[in-house]
Amino acid sequence: MNITHINQKIHIQKEQLLNHSLYNNVKSINDLQLFLENHVYAVWDFMSLLKALQQKLTCTTTPWLPIGNPAIRYLINEIVVAEETDLTLDGKRQSHFEMYLDAMLECNANTNSITAFIENVKQTQNIFVSIKLCDLHPNVKAFLDFTFRIIEEGKPHKIAAAFTFGRENLIPSMFTEILKNFQTNFPETKLDKLVYYFERHIALDADEHGPMAMQMITDLCDSETKWREVEEVSIQALEKRIGLWNAIEEQIVTNVEMV
């Protein structure tokens, strides 16, 4: 079993994502704001997947020891630098999550929900309690719960699978095209930071992080059992993403009907 096999096995889910009707339903600024207000949770929990990999595959404690494969250590640390301290549109350093929040504010999307959620996480010190208590669509909760269940299980190859295959790198390019259409149709709405965010993801995923993450999967899967588990997690992760897309579309359609 190998990467080619995994890509074949997740083909149906990838096609469902790439052809999802959500994209055609993001027609107004209100629709876009609803999308951002839900998608931001996926932007946020991505960093926990990355940090879990850093904890498992590099040394983050003292005394320092040369743990694991140096090539994988380099991969993880390289991605952490880019995701946690990237250059913003105006040349400052921010995490991609913070960049996303700024982009939301620029187009008047509401950040109160995600801010309150993170505050609750700090207070409860239990992510599963916070997910259960929050006022989010059940599919968004399921998306978050899946991420942190995989992290809690603690198997590096499974976390790597959710990280690598569960975060579809073709989707940012789709939304970049949608945003460019928005810039034409709604020139009064500032979307520069949002376009920049998606373009950064396209550049990093295609040129650097994507190929490096695939190599990480290959290096971690030293048995057929691990390859099978990577396949299972990858399919589940994409199905949770489809569920997230369904939830966002449902909210957009409902909101349009109420207007």
Side-chain angles (χ1 to χ4, degrees):
M1 205 176 290
N2 54 29
I3 294 294
T4 300
H5 173 86
I6 301 297
N7 279 323
Q8 290 171 346
K9 289 296 184 179
I10 64 176
H11 176 73
I12 292 174
Q13 287 78 17
K14 287 177 69 174
E15 286 300 306
Q16 287 177 342
L17 273 173
L18 295 175
N19 296 296
H20 201 287
S21 53
L22 168 65
Y23 310 120
N24 292 326
N25 275 307
V26 182
K27 299 174 182 177
S28 70
I29 292 300
N30 286 340
D31 298 340
L32 178 62
Q33 291 166 344
L34 271 173
F35 171 81
L36 299 175
E37 289 160 12
N38 286 275
H39 180 244
V40 67
Y41 291 91
V43 177
W44 174 74
D45 81 340
F46 172 83
M47 283 302 301
S48 290
L49 284 170
L50 177 56
K51 283 298 182 176
L53 286 172
Q54 189 178 37
Q55 291 166 11
K56 294 292 181 183
L57 302 176
T58 76
C59 185
T60 58
T61 58
T62 57
W64 178 86
L65 297 170
I67 291 172
N69 184 328
I72 293 180
R73 294 200 302 260
Y74 173 80
L75 160 66
I76 296 301
N77 289 328
E78 182 81 3
I79 296 177
V80 168
V81 168
E83 294 288 344
E84 197 167 32
T85 54
D86 201 5
L87 281 173
T88 63
L89 187 60
D90 54 1
K92 297 177 183 178
R93 291 286 176 186
Q94 270 189 335
S95 69
H96 281 195
F97 171 68
E98 291 164 314
M99 287 167 59
Y100 198 90
L101 287 181
D102 281 354
M104 289 177 68
L105 292 171
E106 185 181 52
C107 67
N108 296 316
N110 193 328
T111 60
N112 292 340
S113 176
I114 181 65
T115 301
F117 177 79
I118 290 174
E119 284 303 313
N120 188 262
V121 170
K122 293 177 184 177
Q123 291 171 12
T124 65
Q125 294 291 298
N126 186 318
I127 183 62
F128 300 108
V129 170
S130 294
I131 293 170
K132 185 176 181 179
L133 293 176
C134 70
D135 185 24
L136 292 172
H137 190 287
N139 288 14
V140 182
K141 289 188 176 187
F143 183 91
L144 290 168
D145 187 78
F146 173 78
T147 295
F148 288 98
R149 294 292 173 190
I150 291 295
I151 290 171
E152 185 180 53
E153 191 176 351
K155 293 184 177 180
H157 63 287
K158 286 191 171 185
I159 301 170
F163 178 89
T164 302
F165 294 106
R167 307 296 168 138
E168 180 51 58
N169 60 3
L170 293 176
I171 289 169
S173 59
M174 285 194 163
F175 273 97
T176 301
E177 291 306 310
I178 290 172
L179 291 172
K180 286 178 179 176
N181 290 333
F182 268 79
Q183 285 180 311
T184 301
N185 297 327
F186 304 97
E188 72 282 0
T189 303
K190 291 283 288 178
L191 296 173
D192 293 351
K193 290 182 179 180
L194 201 54
V195 171
Y196 177 80
Y197 168 85
F198 281 114
E199 286 181 341
R200 283 296 291 157
H201 265 276
I202 293 167
L204 288 171
D205 286 346
D207 298 337
E208 300 174 35
H209 297 173
M212 293 167 77
M214 294 298 177
Q215 186 58 50
M216 173 177 62
I217 293 285
T218 300
D219 291 345
L220 289 173
C221 289
D222 54 9
S223 70
E224 284 299 305
T225 298
K226 287 183 178 180
W227 276 114
R228 283 195 297 272
E229 290 178 339
V230 163
E231 178 186 324
E232 291 170 4
V233 169
S234 300
I235 291 171
Q236 290 169 356
L238 289 171
E239 287 175 345
K240 295 300 180 185
R241 169 74 75 159
I242 292 167
L244 175 63
W245 264 206
N246 291 342
I248 297 173
E249 182 177 38
E250 178 185 317
Q251 291 174 68
I252 287 174
V253 171
T254 301
N255 187 60
V256 170
E257 290 174 349
M258 291 174 61
V259 173

